[in-house]
Amino acid sequence: MIAGLVLYWLASIPDVRVVVTSQGYRQLEMMQTHLRRMQPNFELGSYRNPEGEVICHNGNVCKYFATENEGAVESQHAKFLIRVLEEVKSMKDSIVSATETWNPQLSVYVSSAGLRQGAFYRCFAEEMHLWHRVEADASQCSAISSGRIDDMLARYGEKSPKFQSQILNNFSSEDLNAGITVEILEWLIKHPPPKEHQGIKVAGFDPSA
């Protein structure tokens, strides 16, 4: 998806600079593979692989890099700058904040749902009024077979945090393997046990059970 968007921007917006960053290289390598595959239909020009740049014949540029250190986020300037953060659920807030100093005309966050924390989660929570959100689950992804979905459903169940996160693309609790998840606590708050008598309430939990 990102490769298609990048090509559209490079071909249609004058004096545009697209900057794509991620915490890891895997997503960027996939994007570059798709860009190379689509190159015969576009005037992409030359690749500068070490620097992670695609320079078009029309002068437009796509720069991409991976980093886990906000100090490595270099300044970016352009007449029209587009900021793309890949798998932003895994990015530290400090890195996201560092890319905001580019003052982009357009920002795009791409990620699976992940945990209920960080910049990506806030786009669907307290900052949802600031973003146009597009959501898709595993059934809409050509890379995930229906057999894989059925297997996950049989193994973990529809209500499990793992199925909710990886297949339905819903934000999950702090730990997919937690004994007591955030979802369970939220349910208990909404459905408290009946008050049978007055006195001190005591609860126990055995993590080795």
Side-chain angles (χ1 to χ4, degrees):
M1 182 186 76
I2 291 300
L5 284 173
V6 169
L7 288 173
Y8 172 77
W9 292 326
L10 293 177
S12 62
I13 302 177
D15 302 316
V16 69
R17 183 178 184 88
V18 183
V19 185
V20 185
T21 186
S22 175
Q23 186 163 299
Y25 283 97
R26 191 174 73 87
Q27 288 80 16
L28 301 181
E29 290 173 349
M30 291 174 60
M31 183 192 74
Q32 186 186 64
T33 298
H34 289 301
L35 286 174
R36 287 185 178 278
R37 188 178 302 163
M38 299 175 183
Q39 186 176 14
N41 299 320
F42 294 87
E43 294 184 345
L44 286 183
S46 62
Y47 287 84
R48 296 171 59 193
N49 292 327
E51 294 82 12
E53 285 189 348
V54 178
I55 304 174
C56 297
H57 294 306
N58 62 8
N60 289 340
V61 174
C62 172
K63 180 179 179 63
Y64 49 95
F65 65 94
T67 183
E68 296 182 355
N69 178 15
E70 61 272 16
V73 178
E74 301 176 353
S75 298
Q76 303 290 335
H77 303 282
K79 185 176 181 180
F80 196 101
L81 193 143
I82 299 176
R83 174 182 65 138
V84 181
L85 303 187
E86 269 272 30
E87 279 303 298
V88 65
K89 71 175 183 185
S90 303
M91 283 188 176
K92 296 184 294 185
D93 279 355
S94 57
I95 295 178
V96 177
S97 297
T99 65
E100 290 174 350
T101 62
W102 301 343
N103 297 317
Q105 278 67 44
L106 175 64
S107 291
V108 178
Y109 290 179
V110 182
S111 185
S112 53
L115 305 180
R116 295 184 177 184
Q117 63 185 37
F120 191 61
Y121 175 66
R122 290 195 295 272
C123 296
F124 293 82
E126 62 265 33
E127 297 178 4
M128 63 185 304
H129 62 289
L130 302 175
W131 294 86
H132 174 72
R133 300 172 310 283
V134 178
E135 302 177 52
D137 60 30
S139 66
Q140 298 167 278
C141 178
S142 59
I144 301 177
S145 67
S146 59
R148 170 63 175 166
I149 296 174
D150 293 341
D151 179 69
M152 291 281 290
L153 180 60
R155 284 174 178 269
Y156 305 106
E158 184 179 0
K159 299 298 184 182
S160 70
K162 189 179 289 291
F163 188 85
Q164 288 287 318
S165 176
Q166 296 183 11
I167 302 300
L168 300 183
N169 204 28
N170 293 330
F171 288 97
S172 187
S173 59
E174 296 178 5
D175 185 355
L176 295 179
N177 300 311
I180 299 179
T181 65
V182 172
E183 289 86 352
I184 293 175
L185 292 175
E186 290 178 343
W187 188 91
L188 289 173
I189 291 172
K190 294 178 181 178
H191 305 85
K195 296 182 179 180
E196 297 181 354
H197 55 80
Q198 299 296 322
I200 299 174
K201 296 179 176 62
V202 179
F205 173 63
D206 182 2
S208 64

